[in-house]
Amino acid sequence: MTTQTIRFIRRGQTVALGNVPPDRTLLQVLREDLGACGTKEGCGEGDCGACTVVLAEPENGHLRFRAINSCIRLAHSVNGMALWTVEDLAQADGSLHPAQEAMVQCHGSQCGFCTPGFVMSLFGMYQNSVCQGQSIRRSDAQEALSGNLCRCTGYRPILDAAQQMEQLPAVRIDEAALLQHLEQLALIRSAAEPDFAYKSPRSLDELTSARAADPGAQIVAGCTDVGLWVTKMHQHFDRVLDVTQVAELRQIEPHANYLQIGAAVTLHDAYTALVADRPQLHNFASRFAGLPVRNSGTLGGNVANGSPIGDSMPLLIALGASVVLANTHGTRELPLEDLYTGYRTNVMAADEVLAWIKVPRPNGDFMRVYKISKRFDDDISAVCLAINLTITDGSVTRASIGAGGVAATPVRAVQTEAALTGQPWTLATAHAAAAALRAEFQPISDMRASAAYRSEVLGNLLQRFWLESQGQTQINLAHFDVEACV
Amino acid sequence: MNAPEKLKLASSAAGRSVPHESARAQVSGNAHYVDDLPEVRGTLYAAPILSTVAHGRLLGVDSHAALAMPGVQAVVLASDIPGDTVLAAFAHDEPIFASDTVQHIGQVVGLVVASTVMQARAAARAVKLDIEALPALLDVRAAYAAQSYVLPPVFVRRGDAAQAIAAAPHTLSGQLEVGGQEHFYLEGQIAYVLPQEQGQWLVHSSTQHPGEVQHWVAHALGLANHAVRVECRRMGGGFGGKETQAGHLAVWAAIAAHKLGRPIKLRLDRDDDFSITGKRHPFAYDYTVGFDGAGRICGFQLLMLANCGFSADLSGPVADRAVFHADNAYFLADVDISSYRLKTHTQSHTAFRGFGGPQGVIVIETILSEIARQLGLDPLEVRRHNLYDAADTPNPQRNTTHYQMAVEDNILHPILSKIEQSAHYQERRKAISAWNAANPVIQRGISITPVKFGISFTATLFNQAGALVHVYTDGSVQVNHGGTEMGQGLNTKVAQIVADELGIPFESVLATAADTSKVPNASATAASSGTDLNGRAAQYAARNVRDNLAQFAAGLDGCGAGAVRFQNGQVITPTASRPFTSLVQQAYANRIQLWSDGFYRTPKIHYDKTTLTGRPFYYFAYGAACSEVAIDTLTGESRVLKIDILYDAGTSINPAIDIGQVEGGFIQGVGWLTTEQLVWNAKGALSTHAPSTYKIPATGDIPAHFKVDLWDQPNREDNVFGSKAVGEPPFMLAISVFEAMKEAIAAARGDGAVVQLAAPATAENVLRALTASAA
């Protein structure tokens, strides 16, 4: 089967690549086909950020810039976008972009191997912050750069560089010209023959039809997990069905009682919407992988993938979210936790796709989500626990608790919920619930934590929840402020 | 923040914070690493075939399925080695490819060669190994019980420790377990081997030791060293992980290239890199110490168990350095140290920044703080009380190390006083104590720890270096030396030194790739010695050229050569001033030699490796750090809240680069002691084999307050520019973070029990230390 010619814009020119296999990664295309070796492979799994490049696509009449990991991104997915690598930032006369110049001035490179990735993440920040007239705070830089690892510098000079960019002479991209160029590319695309090995349907109807016609095609969204099946497990996909261009699935629709989040909405955008509703989720959202993964990965991908250590599901279960599945015949809706039948298995039929996630909006409930991992940022949870209580007149009228890292699937802590529901919200109840939670699951021991630790900490986190419900602050190191200590 | 101090010597190229010589190329994607070099036509790609059993008899290798896969050209095994099948490592105990036995999961049995790297990797997994499993030793204490050694044990004794302990007012015994560490150089291991004419070979290797790669490749191919040329422009990080380990890759690729007669590139997948290559040595310890009421140590018995993995590699000198640094900064009167180098069926552990030093320092720091807590004293006071005598002490009594070297340059007394004040240690200690009393969930701790680190290779012969300085007729200068650039800024500093010597701008000097055909027999770039050795050699080379030019200028102007000065791009005699370039052109026309070699050997050092006594180190580098942490008593999570560091870089050649080394080394040490946990499963497979599971520090782990100051005094020994080494010593300052965590744990417990915290202090280990019943 043939593949569509990949067309993207780089340095103002259209790059056209024919006969690229559907499972070839963007990094392979850059380094091996285009000879652009500035972009590095550090890990091949989206954890180190050395391969970071920046993509732009039109969104609501503007350019939307995203730094992503090229090592696990399939090359065909950038069809119709604009792409920048580290080679593309300096002017023709050799003068450096502020993202580069700041790194030089701040002594932000030592061995230099991570540097292209950092520069590209900085470039993404430059476009999204400095060019929008927003200063970059140190905490912003830490969040935006947490997906880029450096083993030499200890990061301080790189964080300085992030804040120094705005002090340097501004460099602007001609957005109008680029938008026009991207529109021309889109015309070429829509005229193209659709029967290719890598399909990117534009509507839900096209998607469900394609799914029904070829359930064996590998479905992908941001590829932040499927990419590893290619790079690490050496799987080959003859046919790929990419959901990320489906218009209906790229939308977030706010309704009075719930947010309807399209399955192809990026993790970054989905969490931005969730945080807008519940500001207490900000820290948790920023700890979900690194920004390049959040910029590529989708909420739908996280949910459909169904990993027992995926962080979205405990949260969504606690929030009472449901999922909408679609096929050519229509849709059906079910509670999120009912999606899963076992380790990475679910109830979806061969012709079904995940279309939307519906997340109830705040309703006077008290909710917190906790994540335990070896490293605070860009790490996978040993334990993830989301607790959502409705307390009326001092009693728990509704308890909704999601947990990750404790079973073969993301799960609802039904026994603990039962231990809470109808009880007065007191220390004694919290203790009883903690004991119930410790006993409810039989987690495994692995490289992230022992079973005993996981069980113990589940209960202790419920204790933390109790203390927070009593108004205690400065009891969570994820956002501990030493300057506020007296 | 922490912008480097501005230059003291504005007119000189050395002493200034010039950016890294490759910085502009690095930020533009134009700095080439081995995988970025243009590939030669006909290049094939290799991937390793790995043992899946920790210990066993290798009965057969079935390559049929692999050979039938797309693009596969060949399978390369031990039988394809033309020369010695054992690696030319000094212990001669490591087969190039496992052939009859396998000794760890991830040991390389052979290679698959294919048309693309992904084809090779996929096919390597399809090679079937028939292995009959044998009992595996996976635990260092089990290996000790089984007397399973890679090298014989070493004992260092002074006085009568047992009697001193028996006579001491107080004693303390305990155990400590300290984990290893993956280097996680961002650029994985790689070699690109190209057959040349007449049986010669060109090897592009990401290596800290091109000379050893040359030697090993020649040995494996059965060739003379002169037939193999190894080049390395830069590494994407080394940290010790490319001291010996890079040689394996080059040898493997060379054997494949020899078999196929084709250029071969071997670039390891990150997971394979984790599985194959050695780490920092995990250590276990038993200790007993006797001390007086002020916390001064009278007697010290220490058993050090180094988990070396399946072969010796550099374990001998690593374990030696752990012994040397078991005193850290403290005088140990009566001491008895036993050091065992234990063979286990895991990766062969190797050099890693600090090279055993951290494993020595951490145990004495653990003991000193425990002594302080047992006596109810401030750990800083106990540490101070045990320090070696200060450099200016008349008739020093406490200045001889347990290996009989006099400590003549100890400046830790003023360094500790200065950081105690600048970090407001005493005020913060009080405030933290008040916080802890009022806030039971989050407990904080603060600690100051010093470091004294011996500078020189302990193997005296490695303390030599060569360099070449070429002055071209346009006045531009090239310098080449035996060291390698791995990000530490060696080339930048060397170029600064050469520019300084010739009185020309930094930009006029270009440092070129390490190349065995330029400077032969060069030592590894390791032991923090890169600038001391290669910088001096380059300085001497530049000085030779300068002397030639000075004599020539003196002849022109009728003055003595000693009256000629080189500065600001000018050559100045008492009667004339000429641009450097003009003088160079004139000198060339008059047939004056405009290039030279330089050679340096470190003076004063000597060392008996059988008794571990002598003067192994030319000098000591010093420093101290004050770290504050918080721990969550519910979960064991921790955060570093503030860091203050005072580091002794002598007269800094480049303050920005030195501060960068201090910060980077410190944070790498924090990783070793907090999040970087290596977990081997029950079968001996490394479960933390990728950055998804092995967590080095990230941007969010760096506190807003992270301040580094450089101690502003020149090296008391005659070292290049008055500088001191900086690569490794700051790593050990991260022990202040570990010690601060123990202070917080002790505060949380409040029961006076000994704090039993294993390193790394993961959340799980901290929670265990918080809740474990008192011994």
Side-chain angles (χ1 to χ4, degrees):
Chain A
M1 200 180 285
T2 59
T3 55
Q4 185 170 10
T5 297
I6 303 174
R7 289 185 179 82
F8 58 87
I9 300 169
R10 186 170 178 231
R11 301 177 195 167
Q13 306 291 317
T14 302
V15 178
L17 298 168
N19 299 315
V20 177
D23 56 1
R24 193 158 175 79
T25 67
L26 179 56
L27 182 63
Q28 288 170 335
V29 163
L30 287 172
R31 290 185 60 89
E32 297 175 12
D33 301 350
L34 297 177
C37 289
T39 309
K40 310 302 181 195
E41 177 180 309
C43 68
E45 61 176 28
D47 271 303
C48 79
C51 66
T52 306
V53 299
V54 169
L55 299 174
E57 56 185 323
E59 211 170 270
N60 305 321
H62 294 281
L63 279 179
R64 180 69 189 271
F65 291 84
R66 291 186 176 96
I68 59 108
N69 298 116
S70 63
C71 71
I72 48 172
R73 179 90 174 215
L74 297 184
H76 279 273
S77 72
V78 305
N79 200 9
M81 298 185 188
L83 169 81
W84 289 263
T85 73
V86 69
E87 291 104 329
D88 306 335
L89 300 189
Q91 305 292 312
D93 68 357
S95 61
L96 298 178
H97 186 277
Q100 299 169 309
E101 184 64 36
M103 283 285 278
V104 173
Q105 289 185 8
C106 296
H107 305 276
S109 68
Q110 288 187 20
C111 87
F113 201 81
C114 70
T115 307
F118 272 101
V119 165
M120 296 316 292
S121 284
L122 289 172
F123 173 63
M125 293 170 72
Y126 189 82
Q127 291 302 127
N128 290 325
S129 297
V130 178
C131 289
Q132 309 301 319
Q134 294 164 9
S135 284
I136 294 170
R137 294 168 301 178
R138 189 183 162 92
S139 57
D140 300 330
Q142 285 181 304
E143 284 181 16
L145 297 174
S146 72
N148 291 89
L149 298 179
C150 170
R151 193 55 152 166
C152 294
T153 64
Y155 300 108
R156 190 273 313 163
I158 300 174
L159 296 170
D160 283 0
Q163 296 189 269
Q164 175 143 337
M165 289 192 292
E166 68 179 41
Q167 315 291 333
L168 300 171
V171 173
R172 303 271 177 189
I173 285 168
D174 184 344
E175 292 209 14
L178 192 50
L179 277 168
Q180 200 178 6
H181 196 163
L182 286 167
E183 276 174 34
Q184 289 164 0
L185 271 196
L187 291 175
I188 299 173
R189 261 184 94 196
S190 57
E193 169 64 43
D195 189 26
F196 288 119
Y198 191 101
K199 287 195 179 66
S200 289
R202 321 309 293 290
S203 71
L204 185 57
D205 279 349
E206 282 177 39
L207 172 64
T208 52
S209 300
R211 186 67 174 154
D214 186 6
Q218 176 61 46
I219 201 159
V220 302
C223 250
T224 54
D225 192 36
V226 176
L228 276 73
W229 306 356
V230 175
T231 61
K232 297 292 176 178
M233 295 160 71
H234 299 281
Q235 292 189 16
H236 279 290
F237 307 133
D238 295 335
R239 287 132 29 237
V240 170
L241 182 58
D242 180 341
V243 305
T244 56
Q245 298 306 314
V246 176
E248 296 94 322
L249 306 195
R250 291 168 64 98
Q251 302 297 321
I252 299 175
E253 284 181 34
H255 296 266
N257 298 324
Y258 63 93
L259 287 176
Q260 178 169 304
I261 300 174
V265 172
T266 64
L267 287 158
H268 175 270
D269 291 356
Y271 273 97
T272 299
L274 293 170
V275 169
D277 266 2
R278 294 179 171 85
Q280 73 268 35
L281 294 180
H282 171 85
N283 187 268
F284 180 73
S286 72
R287 291 177 65 190
F288 190 114
L291 180 58
V293 166
R294 295 197 296 275
N295 274 341
S296 209
T298 63
L299 187 65
N302 200 222
V303 167
N305 189 289
S307 164
I309 46 177
D311 276 345
S312 299
M313 287 71 83
L315 171 66
L316 293 172
I317 288 170
L319 295 178
S322 59
V323 291
V324 179
L325 308 180
N327 62 12
T328 51
H329 307 296
T331 62
R332 60 174 171 144
E333 181 172 341
L334 63 159
L336 174 61
E337 59 270 28
D338 293 350
L339 182 64
Y340 307 112
T341 52
Y343 180 71
R344 290 190 182 232
T345 56
N346 60 47
V347 301
M348 276 195 276
D351 68 343
E352 273 184 321
V353 294
L354 175 62
W356 296 285
I357 298 118
K358 292 164 75 171
V359 186
R361 309 194 73 169
N363 186 20
D365 42 9
F366 185 76
M367 104 67 58
R368 290 288 185 274
V369 58
Y370 304 120
K371 169 172 178 166
I372 303 291
S373 52
K374 279 192 191 149
R375 187 173 69 199
F376 270 88
D377 295 298
D378 191 8
D379 196 358
I380 292 165
S381 295
V383 167
C384 181
L385 182 69
I387 307 173
N388 188 15
L389 297 191
T390 305
I391 295 162
T392 313
D393 300 330
S395 285
V396 180
T397 51
R398 186 174 158 276
S400 185
I401 301 175
V406 298
T409 67
V411 283
R412 178 177 288 285
V414 289
Q415 294 168 28
T416 309
E417 290 174 357
L420 284 162
T421 307
Q423 300 299 312
W425 184 230
T426 61
L427 180 60
T429 300
H431 277 158
L437 191 54
R438 287 192 189 102
E440 183 157 3
F441 305 107
Q442 286 74 49
I444 58 164
S445 291
D446 66 8
M447 77 296 271
R448 293 195 174 85
S450 70
Y453 176 78
R454 285 184 159 110
S455 293
E456 177 68 16
V457 159
L458 276 177
N460 293 1
L461 290 174
L462 210 147
Q463 273 180 260
R464 185 196 277 170
F465 181 84
W466 158 260
L467 295 170
E468 290 196 286
S469 79
Q470 302 307 299
Q472 286 206 27
T473 56
Q474 291 277 69
I475 59 170
N476 187 343
L477 291 181
H479 39 77
F480 187 79
D481 181 4
V482 65
E483 300 305 334
C485 293
V486 285
Chain B
M1 290 307 295
N2 198 29
E5 301 152 33
K6 289 295 174 220
L7 27 155
K8 288 164 286 190
L9 302 157
S11 64
S12 163
R16 285 201 293 139
S17 289
V18 298
H20 194 287
E21 46 84 17
S22 290
R24 289 181 66 87
Q26 287 165 338
V27 300
S28 308
N30 295 323
H32 289 178
Y33 303 79
V34 173
D35 198 34
D36 306 332
L37 299 174
E39 290 180 359
V40 170
R41 189 170 59 216
T43 294
L44 296 172
Y45 304 86
I49 303 161
L50 306 184
S51 170
T52 50
V53 174
H55 186 207
R57 279 190 201 89
L58 180 58
L59 303 175
V61 178
D62 178 357
S63 307
H64 286 90
L67 285 168
M69 288 172 69
V72 174
Q73 309 278 329
V75 168
V76 181
L77 300 170
S79 53
D80 295 309
I81 302 170
D84 187 355
T85 58
V86 178
L87 208 61
F90 88 99
H92 210 250
D93 63 346
E94 208 173 320
I96 290 172
F97 291 129
S99 56
D100 48 2
T101 55
V102 291
Q103 299 192 81
H104 75 95
I105 293 178
Q107 188 176 8
V108 175
V109 172
L111 301 178
V112 171
V113 179
S115 301
T116 73
V117 65
M118 293 307 279
Q119 287 171 340
R121 289 176 185 173
R125 282 158 179 74
V127 174
K128 292 189 191 72
L129 302 180
D130 182 8
I131 301 171
E132 178 191 326
L134 295 169
L137 277 169
L138 300 171
D139 174 76
V140 72
R141 289 190 184 271
Y144 176 59
Q147 298 187 312
S148 167
Y149 306 144
V150 293
L151 292 166
V154 168
F155 306 98
V156 174
R157 298 192 178 102
R158 173 167 69 185
D160 188 337
Q163 194 191 3
I165 291 166
H170 307 276
T171 61
L172 182 69
S173 294
Q175 295 192 327
L176 179 65
E177 313 287 326
V178 174
Q181 186 176 28
E182 160 64 34
H183 303 82
F184 206 78
Y185 25 66
L186 262 288
E187 178 208 31
Q189 301 274 359
I190 183 166
Y192 184 27
V193 177
L194 300 116
Q196 309 284 293
E197 66 163 48
Q198 301 184 60
Q200 294 166 37
W201 295 79
L202 171 61
V203 179
H204 294 287
S205 170
S206 180
T207 176
Q208 294 173 240
H209 200 172
E212 188 167 70
V213 173
Q214 174 196 28
H215 173 54
W216 284 12
V217 168
H219 191 78
L221 296 183
L223 298 171
N225 283 352
H226 70 194
V228 179
R229 181 180 154 216
V230 179
E231 188 180 304
C232 175
R233 172 60 183 91
R234 64 172 62 77
M235 284 161 273
F239 315 113
K242 294 173 181 170
E243 186 168 343
T244 60
Q245 307 290 294
H248 297 68
L249 276 273
V251 167
W252 295 330
I255 292 162
H258 178 268
K259 176 172 180 167
L260 288 141
R262 299 271 290 267
I264 299 285
K265 186 188 277 187
L266 174 57
R267 172 170 68 86
L268 292 185
D269 174 71
R270 180 63 67 175
D271 295 56
D272 289 348
D273 199 318
F274 266 80
S275 299
I276 294 167
T277 63
K279 324 282 172 222
R280 180 184 297 286
H281 291 66
F283 267 58
Y285 316 80
D286 290 351
Y287 59 82
T288 301
V289 61
F291 51 98
D292 66 17
R296 182 174 273 185
I297 290 174
C298 336
F300 182 38
Q301 290 176 319
L302 177 64
L303 172 68
M304 308 176 97
L305 306 179
N307 182 340
C308 302
F310 82 97
S311 73
D313 188 75
L314 296 169
S315 295
V318 166
D320 286 354
R321 201 174 259 273
V323 171
F324 287 133
H325 288 80
D327 63 343
N328 189 18
Y330 312 108
F331 178 71
L332 303 171
D334 291 86
V335 55
D336 181 348
I337 300 175
S338 308
S339 166
Y340 288 84
R341 295 95 203 270
L342 297 157
K343 174 170 176 163
T344 57
H345 294 107
T346 59
Q347 294 83 354
S348 184
H349 298 311
T350 191
F352 196 144
R353 200 178 204 161
F355 202 72
Q359 293 97 319
V361 173
I362 193 168
V363 65
I364 191 71
E365 293 300 339
T366 292
I367 290 166
L368 285 174
S369 68
E370 206 51 62
I371 288 173
R373 284 187 290 270
Q374 297 303 310
L375 295 173
L377 300 173
D378 177 351
L380 179 60
E381 280 319 299
V382 170
R383 290 190 163 101
R384 214 187 311 251
H385 206 54
N386 279 285
L387 287 179
Y388 284 105
D389 286 339
D392 47 8
T393 306
N395 304 317
Q397 303 296 310
R398 295 164 52 84
N399 78 331
T400 309
T401 65
H402 52 299
Y403 49 91
Q404 308 305 325
M405 176 174 169
V407 180
E408 299 166 340
D409 56 6
N410 182 19
I411 50 172
L412 278 172
H413 298 265
I415 283 181
L416 285 178
S417 294
K418 189 170 176 192
I419 198 166
E420 180 184 17
Q421 287 164 25
S422 63
H424 308 289
Y425 170 79
Q426 296 298 348
E427 300 92 302
R428 285 164 65 195
R429 195 169 141 82
K430 283 196 193 77
I432 287 167
S433 186
W435 165 275
N436 288 341
N439 297 274
V441 176
I442 302 296
Q443 297 278 283
R444 290 155 63 198
I446 188 169
S447 175
I448 291 178
T449 62
V451 68
K452 160 187 135 288
F453 195 77
I455 303 300
S456 292
F457 287 99
T458 52
T460 306
L461 79 164
F462 294 148
N463 296 288
Q464 57 175 312
L468 294 171
V469 167
H470 300 176
V471 176
Y472 294 94
T473 53
D474 64 351
S476 67
V477 176
Q478 253 191 21
V479 59
N480 187 276
H481 55 86
T484 55
E485 175 64 39
M486 61 192 106
Q488 82 279 41
L490 173 59
N491 280 350
T492 311
K493 285 184 174 179
V494 168
Q496 285 180 274
I497 290 163
V498 169
D500 187 63
E501 199 65 26
L502 297 175
I504 56 176
F506 170 71
E507 294 72 22
S508 297
V509 182
L510 196 69
T512 56
D515 185 336
T516 56
S517 68
K518 287 195 168 181
V519 174
N521 312 320
S523 300
T525 307
S528 308
S529 66
T531 304
D532 289 9
L533 297 175
N534 298 290
R536 247 290 143 78
Q539 187 179 44
Y540 288 172
R543 192 165 291 170
N544 290 340
V545 178
R546 192 187 69 177
D547 287 349
N548 292 349
L549 288 168
Q551 264 188 358
F552 175 65
L556 292 176
D557 292 359
C559 65
V564 181
R565 289 178 297 129
F566 291 72
Q567 64 186 51
N568 296 327
Q570 300 285 313
V571 182
I572 303 159
T573 69
T575 53
S577 176
R578 298 175 182 83
F580 179 79
T581 303
S582 305
L583 184 72
V584 163
Q585 283 162 355
Q586 257 182 296
Y588 171 74
N590 284 275
R591 296 183 293 169
I592 303 297
Q593 185 178 342
L594 293 173
W595 58 274
S596 177
D597 64 314
F599 180 77
Y600 175 67
R601 42 182 279 171
T602 311
K604 293 189 178 181
I605 51 176
H606 59 91
Y607 157 59
D608 180 337
K609 69 180 177 183
T610 55
T611 58
L612 256 62
T613 57
R615 176 176 178 151
F617 307 121
Y618 185 34
Y619 63 90
F620 292 102
Y622 297 92
C626 179
S627 296
E628 181 182 339
V629 306
I631 60 167
D632 181 338
T633 58
L634 292 172
T635 61
E637 295 166 287
S638 67
R639 301 232 84 169
V640 181
L641 301 177
K642 289 188 180 182
I643 301 165
D644 291 272
I645 296 173
L646 183 54
Y647 184 73
D648 163 32
T651 302
S652 176
I653 296 167
N654 186 320
I657 283 177
D658 285 346
I659 286 172
Q661 287 293 296
V662 173
E663 291 172 331
F666 184 91
I667 293 301
Q668 200 170 57
V670 171
W672 172 52
L673 294 172
T674 58
T675 57
E676 294 186 39
Q677 186 175 36
L678 291 165
V679 180
W680 283 269
N681 70 15
K683 291 180 176 168
L686 183 62
S687 313
T688 49
H689 53 70
S692 52
T693 46
Y694 183 78
K695 310 311 281 190
I696 71 167
T699 49
D701 297 314
I702 310 309
H705 182 97
F706 183 8
K707 189 166 174 294
V708 177
D709 290 315
L710 297 180
W711 182 255
D712 194 17
Q713 282 182 13
N715 194 333
R716 290 177 185 233
E717 296 293 345
D718 175 23
N719 200 46
V720 63
F721 202 69
S723 69
K724 281 193 176 185
V726 69
E728 294 166 291
F731 183 95
M732 278 146 278
L733 294 176
I735 291 169
S736 59
V737 167
F738 191 71
E739 286 295 307
M741 290 175 73
K742 282 163 48 193
E743 285 289 295
I745 291 166
R749 291 187 65 113
D751 60 358
V754 171
V755 177
Q756 293 282 356
L757 179 63
T762 59
E764 181 162 0
N765 281 344
V766 170
L767 193 66
R768 187 176 298 127
L770 282 164
T771 53
S773 51

